Amino acid sequence: SESIRQSASAPRGDLAVLCGAKSAVYQALSKLLRLLPPEQYARCSRHLQGRHALLPALDYIEENLQEELDNRHLAALCHVSADHFIRLFRQKVGQTPAQYVLDRRMSSAAQRLIFSSEKIDTIAEDCGFRDRFYFSRVFARRMGLPPAAYRKTDRV
């Protein structure tokens, strides 16, 4: 699509291009959803609607990736016990809260490595890692490349 071609040639960090690329992805997803058989569409819809009880925790996680995220605090945001929260989270999201937080931190870090020129130390700290070396080990294990090498690849 045109917006994806533009994003490949645009300077890194161009917010308008990033938004255009995300828009293209959402439009493609919308078209795919319309092609699903009714029973699969209903299952996807139920799955997404089931996350409503977890929205306060999911929103908090997104806005506080740099913080230590405790299950008891996240559970309190959803007005449930910590044990029930962990079970509900795993049932609705498909992974534990800790796994989800690590995935979101990795995703955020990967995006920032590609779309910004921020120092790796800054990205590591902002994404909730105690230091760059720990971040680099975890990132390389999860993404297949250390952060500096990942940044140099053409992933867009």
Side-chain angles (χ1 to χ4, degrees):
S1 112
E2 181 61 29
S3 64
I4 293 173
R5 276 193 294 280
Q6 287 175 345
S7 68
S9 64
R12 288 188 175 177
D14 186 349
L15 184 58
V17 172
L18 177 61
C19 289
K22 286 184 177 186
S23 172
V25 170
Y26 282 125
Q27 287 175 353
L29 181 58
S30 172
K31 288 177 183 177
L32 287 173
L33 284 170
R34 287 187 190 114
L35 296 174
L36 286 176
E39 62 277 357
Q40 283 184 318
Y41 183 87
R43 189 174 70 209
C44 288
S45 181
R46 280 194 309 275
H47 177 71
L48 292 173
Q49 290 172 357
R51 292 186 180 189
H52 286 281
L54 299 172
L55 280 179
L58 293 169
D59 289 343
Y60 187 83
I61 290 168
E62 287 301 315
E63 294 176 16
N64 296 281
L65 286 175
Q66 74 283 5
E67 302 295 326
E68 187 172 322
L69 297 166
D70 177 72
N71 284 335
R72 278 176 277 175
H73 179 68
L74 296 172
L77 294 171
C78 298
H79 307 288
V80 296
S81 72
D83 290 338
H84 182 67
F85 172 75
I86 294 168
R87 279 191 305 275
L88 183 64
F89 199 97
R90 180 174 271 209
Q91 176 188 16
K92 299 296 183 186
V93 178
Q95 56 189 161
T96 66
Q99 291 167 327
Y100 178 82
V101 168
L102 184 57
D103 283 351
R104 291 302 309 130
R105 286 177 171 159
M106 288 291 105
S107 177
S108 177
Q111 286 179 1
R112 290 173 69 176
L113 285 166
I114 291 171
F115 293 111
S116 79
S117 58
E118 294 174 90
K119 291 183 177 184
I120 294 174
D121 293 358
T122 302
I123 293 171
E125 184 180 321
D126 289 351
C127 291
F129 294 92
R130 63 180 175 257
D131 62 58
R132 176 193 175 147
F133 303 105
Y134 174 67
F135 167 68
S136 293
R137 278 196 318 273
V138 173
F139 191 91
R141 191 170 51 235
R142 301 285 294 235
M143 305 301 278
L145 291 169
Y150 186 88
R151 172 174 266 166
K152 292 176 185 174
T153 63
D154 200 15
R155 300 241 178 211
V156 180

